[in-house]
């Protein structure tokens, strides 16, 4: 394969492609490598970290693998580009592994040997795969159509629902925040490669900084993308029924990247926010959580257990509830539903729990009119009416991933404080 001269138009085509359209940092890295190569110099790992990734001057490449991570992802993106948008490109941009020099090479010529027989074989294979996928899609469609119809037939969400209507009748954007887990990259000397890690005790930047200070020999880097917990799949499926009931579009974001900091109050203005996930992944929503008159703590010995302490209105006392493992091996999980006021017309809804049973069941209950009516009956029996804002603590009995029995064990009105 012959090497072609540097061509900036190819670089520009790559950076405007679908594969790089929302990857500004990788385009910046690619352009940096291109310009260095054009000047006849090969950048060092240190200079890439300082100039492109904006690392501090004391950056140590032997201890921090972030440059190697970005280069690995950049090569993956280029490979994806040439499999899709750039598959017809005659000249290709490559960055050989172990080097930071950009090269342009002629794409390999396609072989036409036995073209007709190959084409015939591929056609038969394509038809077979198409029929198989079509049949599979048909079965899935029939299953999900029947499944959804059984779940939601004659059970629409009321357009005047005490919880949901305020999110779609105030003409503000509604953001659905999914509580994702941080993902870390750490180089493992024993196996000679980077490994991806999820640490449930490191859920905010402060925890990460504390870990780095406590264990300076452990060099880990947090990746931009997070990992979705198992419950989010079921949560999104259930909530789609609510959103379609109001014919409203909802913006979906990850809790790990929603705000630049937990004190960035401007990001909370002029929008409704719905949070789904675990307590630990509430992260930057500190300013919202502070509106809830309770505290929550995870067990120091069990990632999925914890306790909730509530502060009743007009009282100096507190009440505590604990999640635990029952004698029969089932789980007693705790879940929380909290509808909160914003500073102006915004509404906030927190749907959370310690483990998967509560995280999944809480959303399921609030996505069906029949179960909502049961909840409202209990709330109304205590308050004579359904408050505009309130908190509900649920006990969810179930297995590791599913709920068997759910009941409200505490309810409290939350009053909006006028500015």
């Amino acid at each position: 394969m012959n090497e072609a001269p540097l061509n900036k138009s190819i670089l520009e085509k790559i950076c405007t492609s679908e594969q790089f359209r929302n990857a500004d940092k990788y385009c910046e890295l690619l352009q940096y490598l291109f310009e260095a190569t054009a000047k006849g110099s090969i950048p060092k790992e240190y200079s890439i970290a300082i100039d492109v990734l904006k690392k501090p001057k004391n950056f140590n490449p032997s201890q921090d693998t972030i440059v190697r991570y970005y280069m690995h992802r950049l090569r993956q993106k280029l490979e994806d580009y040439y499999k899709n948008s750039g598959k017809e490109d005659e000249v290709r941009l490559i960055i050989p592994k172990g080097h930071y020099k950009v090269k342009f090479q002629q794409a390999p010529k396609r072989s036409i040997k036995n073209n007709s027989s190959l084409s015939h074989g591929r056609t038969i294979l394509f038809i077979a795969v198409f029929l198989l996928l079509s049949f599979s899609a048909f079965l899935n469609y029939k299953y999900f159509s029947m499944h959804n119809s059984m779940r939601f037939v004659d059970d629409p969400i009321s357009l005047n629902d005490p919880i949901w209507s305020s999110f779609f009748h105030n003409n503000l954007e509604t953001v659905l925040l999914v509580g994702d887990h941080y993902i870390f990259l750490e180089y493992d000397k024993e196996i000679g490669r980077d490994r991806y890690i999820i640490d449930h005790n490191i859920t905010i930047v402060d925890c990460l900084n504390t870990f780095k200070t406590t264990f300076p020999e452990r060099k880990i880097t947090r990746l931009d993308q997070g990992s979705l917990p198992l419950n989010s799949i079921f949560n999104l499926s259930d909530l789609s029924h609510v959103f379609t009931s109001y014919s409203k579009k909802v913006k979906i974001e990850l809790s790990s990247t929603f705000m630049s900091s937990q004190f960035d109050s401007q990001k909370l203005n002029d929008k409704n926010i719905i949070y789904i996930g675990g307590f630990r992944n509430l992260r930057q929503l500190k300013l919202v959580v502070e509106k809830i008159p309770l505290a929550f703590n995870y067990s120091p010995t069990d990632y999925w257990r914890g306790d909730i302490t509530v502060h009743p209105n007009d009282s100096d006392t507190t009440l505590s509830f604990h999640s635990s493992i029952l004698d029969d091996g089932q789980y007693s999980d705790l879940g929380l539903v909290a509808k909160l006021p914003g500073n102006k017309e915004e509404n906030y809804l927190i749907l959370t729990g310690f483990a998967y049973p509560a995280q999944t069941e809480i959303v399921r209950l609030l996505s069906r009119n029949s179960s909502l009516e049961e909840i409202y009956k209990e709330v109304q029996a205590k308050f004579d009416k359904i408050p505009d804002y309130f908190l509900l603590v649920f006990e969810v009995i179930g297995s590791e991933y599913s709920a068997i029995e759910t009941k409200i064990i505490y309810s409290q009105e939350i009053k909006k404080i006028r500015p």
Side-chain angles (χ1 to χ4, degrees), residues 139 163 166 294 323 330 404:
L139 290 179
I163 291 179
S166 55
L294 61 72
S323 62
Q330 293 183 339
I404 299 173

Side-chain angles (χ1 to χ4, degrees), residues 331-364:
Y331 296 88
S332 170
D333 194 10
L334 294 177
L336 172 70
V337 173
K339 186 184 178 186
L340 310 164
N343 295 324
K344 297 179 182 178
E345 300 301 319
E346 305 93 344
N347 294 288
Y348 305 136
L349 183 63
I350 306 296
L351 308 176
T352 185
F354 285 107
Y356 289 138
Q359 293 172 29
T360 303
E361 184 67 2
I362 292 301
V363 176
R364 189 190 72 82

Side-chain angles (χ1 to χ4, degrees), residues 39-55:
K39 295 176 182 178
S41 64
I42 301 177
K44 302 294 185 181
E45 191 171 334
Y46 176 82
S47 62
I48 294 174
I50 302 300
D51 297 338
V52 181
L53 304 180
K54 309 304 179 184
K55 287 293 181 178

Side-chain angles (χ1 to χ4, degrees), residues 279 292-297 307-311 319 354:
F279 281 105
I292 311 175
L294 61 72
F296 58 86
N297 293 286
D307 59 76
I308 293 176
T309 301
V310 296
H311 305 272
L319 297 174
F354 285 107

